[in-house]
Amino acid sequence: MMKVMGAVRERGGSRGVRGGPLRDLTDPATYRAAAYVLLTLPVGLVVAALLTVVIAGGLLTLPLLIGAPALLGALWLVGALGDVQRALAGVLGVRFTRPPPPAYPGVLAWLGAQLSSPVTYRTLLFHVVQLPLGLLCWLVLAALLGLALLGLAAPGWALGSAVPVMWNEWTVQPGPVAVAGLMLVGLGLLIVAGGVLNLMGRLWTRLTSALLTLDAGDEAARREVVALRRAAGRVALGDDLNATLADLTTQACAASTAAQVTLHAPDGTLRASSVSDPWADAWSGPWADGAEGSPPDTALPRPGEANVLPLPDGGVLAVLPVSLPASAGTLEGGTLRARYRPGVRPGEDELAFLLSIADHAGTALHAAQLIERAGARAGEQERARLARELHDSVAQALYGITLGAKTARATLERDPARTLQSLDYTIRLAEGGVSEMKALLFSLRPDALEEGGLTAALTQHAHALEARHGLKVHAELRREPDLAPDVQAAAYRVAQEALHNVVKHARAAQVWVSLAQDGPLVTLTVRDDGRGFDPQAQGRGTLGQRSMRERAAGAGGTLTVQSAPGEGTTVTLTLPAAPPAPPLPTPGAVGA
């Protein structure tokens, strides 16, 4: 078992190996590894001989000016032999993604690029270690296979030999039981040789993947940074959760070496997937060793860790957690799964990058939850406010209309004068109810101010106050002022709050509302004849006053409140007018 950002499972780990002790002898990967190991020694000899001759010849002939081209040739030979080694690694199933060849920049530029590239030194290191490591593999395999063949051939050299085996003073003549034991030992050594070959195959796979890869670390880091930046922007600005998650998987797949990246819900339901090639979709089981059914507990990663599981086709599957903040109510947001082709394995840096993508996915899920909760709560609050408004205004008006109509019907024949009064009362209530309904509809429509303007909105509100509360409203509303849409909305909300305070606290009989523009300033005034209050005694004012002051400051204006006990209250809002739009050019002014 190997630790890579969490628990990592290798083929044949502690979960058990299917196929018994003969699995290595029947696994095609064992024979691919045997073919590669057999080639390492002769290839290593040829590579070592070529590099030694060229480098030594270049150093010895350097004073004769012939050595410089020879050393340049040796540097080129390191890369060319590296390409041969990468092709040879295909026997193990390792495939390397080759970037497009750059344009030839010249000798000096090429020399600088080769000497500054870490690929050159990693390839040279592989050439250096290939020969001794290949020789060691040959010796180990030769010893194991020699002893295994000696044990399996025991019936031929032990029972069929007329010469006894001499050991010091002892003369040993193997019998059938001893021969059977030697054959079992030979078979066991053959099985061990198969396991050692499989182990050598994994060793050479790791070595070739680590030293012969052409993808420089800085380029991979650049792709990951770009992907994380785009992912963060998508999460911050995206309003469609499904599109955001799909874009995250696409960015993760493009910036990593994975063949396919998917996002799954906690119950395993697929949420999003990157664009994948056909073979990646051919295998549908997400768990290792061909196991079917529900995944084992060890396949579920812990927060901040990743499980790398082997796949039946020789690839691996990285499973990473999608965690949500504690305020979300649950920490389980599902999993991010990255599937890799055979011979390709994610490193620690790539797993850390995928964990960052999983965190972005958790942030997107949490943001969607918050938006949904906020929308539901805002809807509930708006419905409650509308219910209160309808109960206090329209419902009361309809009830009064019903009473007036019944009174008029009861007094129609015996008291015509009272009937006329009841009808006048009913008509006033109906007109007030209509005005109140228009005011409510006006406040519910977000574009009502833009369509009707501030003057129309204040007029509707004044009619509603008169009908609902019996106030006498004197509206001095002149032409529509030049206000930006957000400033216009702030002025209307301040007027609403001021008139609400008049109804709730002032106990006034009359209210004066004026709106006027004087040059670059627009002044809105709400004055009442109520009981007033002492502004100094209330400090910075009530919550309503603070809300009005914040709206005024947000619109770039100022708010003043003047009041005294028994003298009423005057609220004055001063706002900057919007600059006039530039005149449109006349058709003939362009060529003038």
Side-chain angles (χ1 to χ4, degrees), residues 201-576:
R202 291 201 295 270
L203 171 65
W204 284 105
T205 298
R206 295 291 183 85
L207 191 62
T208 55
S209 299
L211 298 182
L212 296 180
T213 178
L214 293 171
D215 189 13
D218 53 352
E219 179 64 20
R222 187 191 65 82
R223 291 200 311 266
E224 292 174 359
V225 169
V226 172
L228 288 175
R229 184 178 62 189
R230 292 186 58 181
R234 179 71 186 187
V235 171
L237 302 177
D239 54 353
D240 187 343
L241 177 61
N242 294 329
T244 300
L245 296 180
D247 188 68
L248 289 178
T249 58
T250 301
Q251 295 299 325
C253 188
S256 65
T257 57
Q260 184 182 23
V261 177
T262 56
L263 278 168
H264 296 260
D267 59 356
T269 305
L270 180 66
R271 274 179 170 159
S273 175
S274 63
V275 178
S276 59
D277 48 6
W279 72 267
D281 289 334
W283 184 79
S284 58
W287 305 109
D289 292 339
E292 298 179 356
S294 60
D297 293 338
T298 53
L300 302 177
R302 293 180 295 177
E305 296 185 352
N307 284 352
V308 180
L309 309 170
L311 299 179
D313 60 357
V316 294
L317 179 74
V319 184
L320 306 100
V322 176
S323 301
L324 300 179
S327 58
T330 176
L331 297 179
E332 294 185 2
T335 55
L336 183 143
R337 304 175 187 177
R339 187 183 179 211
Y340 293 83
R341 292 183 177 90
V344 180
R345 295 185 59 85
E348 293 187 4
D349 293 338
E350 183 162 317
L351 289 177
F353 162 70
L354 292 177
L355 278 172
S356 299
I357 292 292
D359 291 339
H360 279 80
T363 302
L365 291 171
H366 188 217
Q369 290 180 358
L370 293 179
I371 292 174
E372 183 179 359
R373 294 176 186 173
R377 184 173 182 181
E380 293 175 357
Q381 292 177 346
E382 184 63 21
R383 286 192 295 270
R385 186 191 69 84
L386 182 59
R388 291 193 303 268
E389 296 286 344
L390 289 175
H391 177 270
D392 294 340
S393 58
V394 180
Q396 297 294 335
L398 292 177
Y399 181 70
I401 291 172
T402 302
L403 290 179
K406 289 182 178 180
T407 302
R409 184 179 61 182
T411 60
L412 180 60
E413 295 181 355
R414 55 187 177 83
D415 194 351
R418 187 175 180 184
T419 300
L420 184 59
Q421 292 177 358
S422 299
L423 290 177
D424 291 339
Y425 173 74
T426 302
I427 291 172
R428 287 196 303 272
L429 286 179
E431 292 176 348
V434 171
S435 298
E436 184 67 28
M437 182 60 70
K438 288 182 178 179
L440 286 175
L441 294 177
F442 193 92
S443 63
L444 288 176
R445 292 177 55 196
D447 57 346
L449 275 174
E450 184 177 352
E451 293 181 0
L454 183 59
T455 301
L458 293 176
T459 301
Q460 292 288 347
H461 202 68
H463 291 331
L465 282 177
E466 287 184 334
R468 184 195 303 178
H469 303 288
L471 288 173
K472 182 62 177 177
V473 181
H474 305 275
E476 299 177 4
L477 306 175
R478 303 173 186 176
R479 68 177 182 86
E480 184 70 23
D482 298 326
L483 293 175
D486 54 342
V487 179
Q488 193 179 63
Y492 179 64
R493 298 306 178 191
V494 169
Q496 274 188 319
E497 184 65 31
L499 292 172
H500 175 73
N501 290 337
V502 171
V503 173
K504 186 176 181 181
H505 304 290
R507 298 179 184 176
Q510 300 184 79
V511 180
W512 289 264
V513 180
S514 64
L515 179 66
Q517 179 175 352
D518 185 10
L521 297 178
V522 177
T523 304
L524 172 66
T525 304
V526 178
R527 181 171 61 89
D528 65 79
D529 61 352
R531 59 180 182 173
F533 63 96
D534 184 4
Q536 301 299 326
Q538 291 195 355
R540 298 183 61 185
T542 62
L543 180 62
Q545 288 189 40
R546 289 197 297 269
S547 174
M548 289 190 293
R549 295 183 190 279
E550 291 174 358
R551 290 185 184 275
T558 58
L559 182 80
T560 59
V561 179
Q562 298 176 349
S563 183
E567 297 182 5
T569 303
T570 301
V571 177
T572 305
L573 174 65
T574 304
L575 296 169

Side-chain angles (χ1 to χ4, degrees), residues 161-181:
S161 176
V163 180
V165 178
M166 304 298 295
W167 180 259
N168 293 335
E169 301 91 2
W170 301 90
T171 301
V172 180
Q173 184 69 40
V177 176
V179 171

